[in-house]
Amino acid sequence: MLGVCYYPEHWPESRWSVDAHRMRELGLTHVRIGEFAWSRLEPSRDRFTFDWLDRAIDVLHKAGLKIVLGTPTATPPKWLIDAHPDILPYDEQGHVRGFGSRRHYSFSSGTWWRESARIVEIVARRYGDHPGVVGWQTDNEYGCHSTTVSWGPEDRRAFRQWLRRRYQTPERLNEAWGAVFWSMEVNSFDEVELPNQAVTEVNPAARLDFQRFCSDQVAAYDRMQVDILRAHAPGRFITHNFMGFITDFDHFQVGANLDFASWDSYPIGFVERFPFTDAERALWAETSHPDIAPFHHDLYRGVGHGRFWVMEQQPGPVNWAPWNPVPKPGMVRLWTWEALAHGADVVSYFRWRQAPFAQEQMHAGLNLPGLDEWSVGGREAGQTADELAALGPLPDTCRSPVALVYDYATAWTTAIQPQGKDFCYEELVLRWYEAVRRLGLDIDVVPPGASLAGYALVLVPSLIHVTPAALTAFATATAPVLYGPRTGSRDDTFRIPDTLPPGPLAGLTGNRVTQVASLRPGLAVPVEGTVSGTAIRWREHLTTTGTVLARFADGDPAFTATNGHHCLAAWPDEALLSAVMHHMAGVAGLPVVDLPAHVRLRRRGDLTFAFNYGTEDWLVPTQGTLLLGSNLLKPQEVSIWR
Amino acid sequence: MLGVCYYPEHWPESRWSVDAHRMRELGLTHVRIGEFAWSRLEPSRDRFTFDWLDRAIDVLHKAGLKIVLGTPTATPPKWLIDAHPDILPYDEQGHVRGFGSRRHYSFSSGTWWRESARIVEIVARRYGDHPGVVGWQTDNEYGCHSTTVSWGPEDRRAFRQWLRRRYQTPERLNEAWGAVFWSMEVNSFDEVELPNQAVTEVNPAARLDFQRFCSDQVAAYDRMQVDILRAHAPGRFITHNFMGFITDFDHFQVGANLDFASWDSYPIGFVERFPFTDAERALWAETSHPDIAPFHHDLYRGVGHGRFWVMEQQPGPVNWAPWNPVPKPGMVRLWTWEALAHGADVVSYFRWRQAPFAQEQMHAGLNLPGLDEWSVGGREAGQTADELAALGPLPDTCRSPVALVYDYATAWTTAIQPQGKDFCYEELVLRWYEAVRRLGLDIDVVPPGASLAGYALVLVPSLIHVTPAALTAFATATAPVLYGPRTGSRDDTFRIPDTLPPGPLAGLTGNRVTQVASLRPGLAVPVEGTVSGTAIRWREHLTTTGTVLARFADGDPAFTATNGHHCLAAWPDEALLSAVMHHMAGVAGLPVVDLPAHVRLRRRGDLTFAFNYGTEDWLVPTQGTLLLGSNLLKPQEVSIWR
Amino acid sequence: MLGVCYYPEHWPESRWSVDAHRMRELGLTHVRIGEFAWSRLEPSRDRFTFDWLDRAIDVLHKAGLKIVLGTPTATPPKWLIDAHPDILPYDEQGHVRGFGSRRHYSFSSGTWWRESARIVEIVARRYGDHPGVVGWQTDNEYGCHSTTVSWGPEDRRAFRQWLRRRYQTPERLNEAWGAVFWSMEVNSFDEVELPNQAVTEVNPAARLDFQRFCSDQVAAYDRMQVDILRAHAPGRFITHNFMGFITDFDHFQVGANLDFASWDSYPIGFVERFPFTDAERALWAETSHPDIAPFHHDLYRGVGHGRFWVMEQQPGPVNWAPWNPVPKPGMVRLWTWEALAHGADVVSYFRWRQAPFAQEQMHAGLNLPGLDEWSVGGREAGQTADELAALGPLPDTCRSPVALVYDYATAWTTAIQPQGKDFCYEELVLRWYEAVRRLGLDIDVVPPGASLAGYALVLVPSLIHVTPAALTAFATATAPVLYGPRTGSRDDTFRIPDTLPPGPLAGLTGNRVTQVASLRPGLAVPVEGTVSGTAIRWREHLTTTGTVLARFADGDPAFTATNGHHCLAAWPDEALLSAVMHHMAGVAGLPVVDLPAHVRLRRRGDLTFAFNYGTEDWLVPTQGTLLLGSNLLKPQEVSIWR
Ligand SMILES: [Zn+2]
Ligand SMILES: [Zn+2]
Ligand SMILES: [Zn+2]
């Protein structure tokens, strides 16, 4: 199903019914509203003006649209900030981050917590049982603009409290952090400082705890909103719209509050955010890289307990990347189908109509700026709606053959202590994901500790701290498992394991890592054996009791296996990565299709989808029944067969 | 005529008369003094020590030099700052910008306004009718070191006042800014914050208003000084020394206060400031690019109502660029002649003698450091003075065939909202200017709304907001007009026009822009037709009712014409830009000379000047009477013929 | 002799005697302890817990180890900072640099001075005559993490005091700084501000005085500690562990307090700090550049009055560089021998055992993390100890044939006023040093003003201010002297000399510099004559009464000589530099060996050492008696012959 994000407060009331009518005409079924409207709902303290929203909801509902209502907490109004400046967040250098845009609050402000509960309850009580409101979105894009973390007095107070709960005594804190180092010991929790503005680097265990605290604060804040909504909006779903490439908090943790996950998919802007080469950025500038949106679909399907929406789908050029090209014709439709293929229940475009004013005036909508006239994206949305209607209901999404274990704590740990400047966890994960999807395989993204039963192959690009639950899951997996570099290299308190890395995995893997090297650009180590290629960026020196499948040029083991538990002791270049993934698919008994760089496949139930992101045709290798498209998959085209 | 900047306070009184005598000997007629001397005129509150300046002025006057006196407000002394720290400006992160160099004041400080008026009146009363003082310079280099903008409490207070005057009610402010977006609405002007230190980007309309406010503050402050000077210095001219590549305030607006404009010409340092490629920077490192100084001559001739001075002319290597090479022999003379060719009344070198101390000790003068001995630049100044004397009075400057519309508001708007990281208005303008001067054509730089009568060709590299006055000027122009990208894309409140871009120009151009794409390096779109080349950085998708002169590779119009109103819907590469300018010259009926990259021509009255910035000779294509130089224009040489 | 850095407070007491035993077993004789242990010695105000350190010292002493005890002032504990936040330093933007790592103190804090004296006296009284404690280290790594300079109120107070002592009256300060420029004059010392946070650049003389003040503060603070230690630790040596590439304070000045100098040698990390090209960085990533550690050995031998230790020797990969590769096998041994060859008395590895926790957990030790098991570095240390024992006592270090004059004030001056962005004094010095060592010559690094008697050749890469003492040394030198660019270009108050550069050297050199040019990348000037090559980055225009040995392409002198006083008026490229050094060696009558880029020689007494940092063998050109290694010097190998 398709939807759209709409801002009735941006347009004269006289246009609402025309808009609602045209939404239905285009084939949309859902509409999200309200998430930035606080100043119009409560223009000053306790003066409420909900009447316009009542009428807007009625107009949309009467037109047959299902409404998702956002709590307005992402944009506290000026009168509230002026009355309570302690709501504001602080940057790492100690400056207040002020009013003037959005997300100007700290998750640790006590005042903010009370004010949020107040407005959420008022909104929830008013619309909780409205028949048109089918679901709720909490806040908007947690973590956007680096707002998970704040460095003010309220944050310090809350962090000390969090530490007191975690460690009970300063002695245990000192022990956990190894605070004897550099005389960092404290005599009381009130002596603890936030890990910023020190002369040089701060204790990594302290930094990790601060990151965990920040993540916990987001989850608890979300939980507070969810609890209020559940109390006053019975039977309605609750979701949150996550973002791409944000790792500042544990999305699985927030996801646990929700009925399902949503995310905001801007495939093109992300090409400039992810550390692609310049050549890749130019190559994918007008289509996006074929794995960026899919990876997030698979991630949020995992975060959402098997269900997800795209709450905001890019409908054309946007405004916020360093460069903002026009997507190639067909891409808005392709992205929509790609989301549906990965299991999206609803794909909701952002936004209905381009606004001629304010910060996002260069962000395309389904309609041209200020007008009742379809944009290119609007026309493609309509085409997709028609095709979707013709196809009938989509089958359920099944378990994928491959599980990829994704761990936010590893993202935090490697950012705190990269050891090599270009060791970027998100990059490693996406490269592994890309290599597997180039083999035509589907992937589920799962958190560490999740059951691995039923998978044919398990991939662990890196997992710095292996929890007991994760260890059990690996130990009981029947599929072959591949562990990447740095796995098991730290315990729960950021310590190197007494037995050296891979710590608790020593038994399963037979390995012991004695040295690691980060390799600057220009350094590389050849790898030869069952697989071959080159180690770049990172290599480990290890001994093994298992089988050595490939060795570094100096003879040290590079790729090992012990009873299906494989270890890759390097950051692989493209050739080595591809060879390793071919090898693992072979071990797993998974048949593969070698796809060109610009084509991807994906199954949903008994349907197979093919997508062409490139400039050359691709011949669909199927004997099945074509339901959409043709056997010759043209650029920017989609084919579906059963 | 030639002049020099002199600091009698830097040298023992015994040397003044020798200096004055040698100035005359060199052929100089004008001398600027006094603009940084506050601490020597008033060493502490109300203790005045003007006697030395009285004597210095007398010495210079008696030697036959015409004196330009600067008001000393660019350097408020320490005792004043300590008594009134509210004078100090703030940086965008909220830190005070302290004492220790110069321009340490905010244009919005009430105290500063009073103190400035006080010292200017005292100086003006003392020297207003001195026969040797022929004119005045207000302050020094407004905007230098990013001092147009300040972010302190005084600035916030003044900005709120400015907004109150502009909008009268908060409702109108909210409406103008589209503040409903992200709940940015305010209930009173006292709720408005400066547009800095927000969590993410601030409303662009607010930022534009802040920029307008800052520009207004500079103009009003200058006006205050001008009013005092006019009252006490009857019959003397008043000017200000502007800088190169400063767009933080509207120079036409300040120019309206003045009798004529001056500017400080440092051709070589600017090569490192302008976004040239590294290859261009190496090529022009020791001569400057042949259009940098000329563009500014033409700009300030426009700002100065047809008259301008070079108040500070680079006389050798300087101190402030990342690298400071020695100009090639001959360049100081060439730059001087180039300024005169563009209409300068006076070219005044900075400075008389290199100072052996303080911040500018590596800045060359006409004399070697601390000595009465000519530098290379001093000898070239003398040669130029001799040649100028031999040539006799220069004819008046005539209207150029080409008008280039230059708009500070477009510089602000595109900086606030680049949309593509490398969309730089100043760069676009200089590239257009360069392309036209490579055809041997002279250019006048005019503000939007100025009459275009009498021009053969009008160029509008970009003009984001087309005012009614500008529209009238275009509509009544008899010459062909060429509009560049983004023209007409915003209204007065930074909104996209209801009719889409080019807004008010839709009627004249027949165009309607529905999408724009910014293109990262590596993306480019071929253009073919009457002109051909490549679009880089930026392209627009438009429909037209006019003639399509060239199309993008996908068939969309790239270059259109409707009754002489031409539109170029792209940032052109060098080939496309050159082809377009050739085409426009043809349409305008202007004969062109294809000049090599290192040669430029310029007329003044019936004289034609040729300049060689390169390393290869150039054969002057003239049948006229040579007045200076030869037909074979050698590197770093000047030829003049009638 | 060999030693190690040890942290008994990091390990259970039960492990201490095992550790001590294994140190002896490995062949170590010295152990440094205590320098970060304040929070364990005084966990809260006046509660002292020295008993554990008593026992640790006894265990080590009984095992036969000689103990170096560090004063714990580099890590003031939290309770002290909370009681006295005025101890904390400030960054240049005015933010407090807080607790959380180390070196969180300002050298100008009065409180800090008292607290330092208190704890140093307590520790010195307790262990001053302990028979196991043979020497003391003051503090730890002055200047690390940019902590020489601080910008807070305490610093401002102390700077004003320092200026009052230096200049006595504000008039003399104004005169010295040329404060008339830009009305910077002050009426009292209390009007002086620190030279930060000004609108644009601050007076360079003020900045130089601030740098001198900061350097004086370090030296005075160190002196305070030294005086206390001398009073209570009779007969023990006192040293400090300096760092590499730190020029923020004058190390010769601090060295004057000490019995000898020590330094912390991390050859690999420095490859990423020094401005090498990327190609050089990749080439030397796993061995270090062959001159980085040697240059510092020679520097600290000079700072230490002919004696030095390596207090911390890199034993494997470290944690703090952008990339941290594993050293090639053999390098830990090679670096150790290289230090000994340059005259080190003791080479002490950092650290005994890799810590599994806190900021340096990725820093290798002689033992694997947390274990009693040798790392690769540990095994190489053992091998070196054995070889050293077999070789017997090393002969004394003799005077080298070449003296290189190294001047911290020139580093400050060129950083304050680079004039060309890539004019980096440290880089110039290391490139000269490299060129001479490529000729197989040994070098002493000496301060300006030191006697040059006995040297065959004197090199002065640059010496901005030539003091009377330095002038006398040059004038009385019997060896040829080579002066590099900018020498003699400023007087004591940062003024250009009245006679132009080279100021006081005009007589000896016959030269007068009238212009200087900094050359951006892409600009270069050929040099031809007795030597040839290319000037890059910097060239001077001078006249000479001496002999012109080579000229720039425009005919100006580039390389001159007057009675043995040679001047190179350029930053030379590699070819020109090599040619100049060959020429100078010839003039000096020094026989040279042209070494490949990866091989170096060094003498100690009658021993000659050869080191191979590369990948290719080198044939040792000797008829002497081999004491270690072979005539075919393999990669990462050492040969010693008599
Ligand atoms: Zn188009
Ligand atoms: Zn700050
Ligand atoms: Zn010689």
Side-chain angles (χ1 to χ4, degrees), chain C residues 258-338:
Chain C
L258 307 172
D259 291 300
F260 58 83
S262 303
W263 82 288
D264 296 347
S265 181
Y266 293 96
I268 279 188
F270 287 148
V271 172
E272 296 288 337
R273 289 227 169 147
F274 185 82
F276 288 117
T277 63
D278 267 352
E280 287 177 302
R281 284 189 177 154
L283 183 61
W284 305 116
E286 297 169 311
T287 60
S288 186
H289 183 285
D291 292 305
I292 285 184
F295 169 75
H296 286 93
H297 296 322
D298 293 342
L299 168 63
Y300 290 115
R301 200 175 61 248
V303 168
H305 331 291
R307 287 185 58 201
F308 78 102
W309 285 27
V310 173
M311 188 61 87
E312 302 183 6
Q313 171 61 55
Q314 177 170 359
V318 299
N319 63 303
W320 48 265
W323 287 273
N324 297 288
V326 171
K328 285 192 182 173
M331 284 312 300
V332 172
R333 169 175 171 264
L334 186 152
W335 292 328
T336 307
W337 276 115
E338 178 88 74

Side-chain angles (χ1 to χ4, degrees), chain B residues 64 74 77 80 106 111 148 162 170 174 223 301 309 331-332 365 414 427 538 560 573 589 611 636 639:
Chain B
L80 178 58
S106 162
T111 305
T148 300
W162 184 92
N174 289 332
R223 181 62 190 229
R301 201 176 59 249
W309 285 27
M331 285 311 300
V332 172
T414 51
E427 187 178 357
W538 188 272
T560 67
D573 75 343
F611 303 96
Q636 284 70 67
S639 291

Side-chain angles (χ1 to χ4, degrees), chain C residues 90-110:
Chain C
Y90 284 71
D91 72 17
E92 193 163 353
Q93 284 68 47
H95 309 119
V96 171
R97 304 181 73 185
F99 185 87
S101 55
R102 59 178 178 174
R103 303 209 57 70
H104 35 278
Y105 69 76
S106 162
F107 285 98
S108 294
S109 159

Side-chain angles (χ1 to χ4, degrees), chain B residues 39 78 98 101 272 324, chain C residues 184-185 191 197 512 518 520:
Chain B
S39 76
K78 187 70 195 316
S101 55
E272 296 288 338
N324 297 288
Chain C
M184 294 288 102
E185 291 163 306
E191 286 185 8
Q197 298 197 284
R512 184 171 186 257
S518 50
R520 71 160 2 266

Side-chain angles (χ1 to χ4, degrees), chain B residues 422-424 427-429 431-432 460-463 482-487 511 513 515-519 523-528 531-542 550-554 556-560 566-578 580-581:
Chain B
D422 50 10
F423 194 104
C424 169
E427 187 178 357
L428 184 69
V429 169
R431 293 305 189 184
W432 281 44
V460 187
S462 184
L463 182 64
L482 172 65
Y483 308 96
R486 303 179 80 160
T487 298
N511 289 358
V513 178
Q515 283 196 113
V516 300
S518 50
L519 308 173
L523 291 195
V525 188
V527 171
E528 293 290 345
V531 298
S532 65
T534 306
I536 53 174
R537 301 193 191 194
W538 188 272
R539 73 163 282 194
E540 310 194 332
H541 295 253
L542 59 80
R551 294 184 181 276
F552 295 110
D554 56 13
D556 276 5
F559 185 39
T560 67
H566 291 66
C567 292
L568 180 61
W571 186 296
D573 75 343
E574 197 183 328
L576 180 57
L577 179 58
S578 174
V580 166
M581 292 306 169

Side-chain angles (χ1 to χ4, degrees), chain A residues 527-581:
Chain A
V527 171
E528 292 290 346
T530 306
V531 298
S532 65
T534 306
I536 53 175
R537 300 194 191 192
W538 188 272
R539 74 162 280 194
E540 309 193 331
H541 295 253
L542 59 80
T543 58
T544 187
T545 59
T547 309
V548 178
L549 296 170
R551 295 184 180 277
F552 294 110
D554 57 12
D556 276 5
F559 184 40
T560 67
T562 296
N563 303 323
H565 292 271
H566 292 65
C567 292
L568 180 60
W571 186 296
D573 75 342
E574 197 182 327
L576 180 56
L577 180 58
S578 174
V580 167
M581 292 305 169

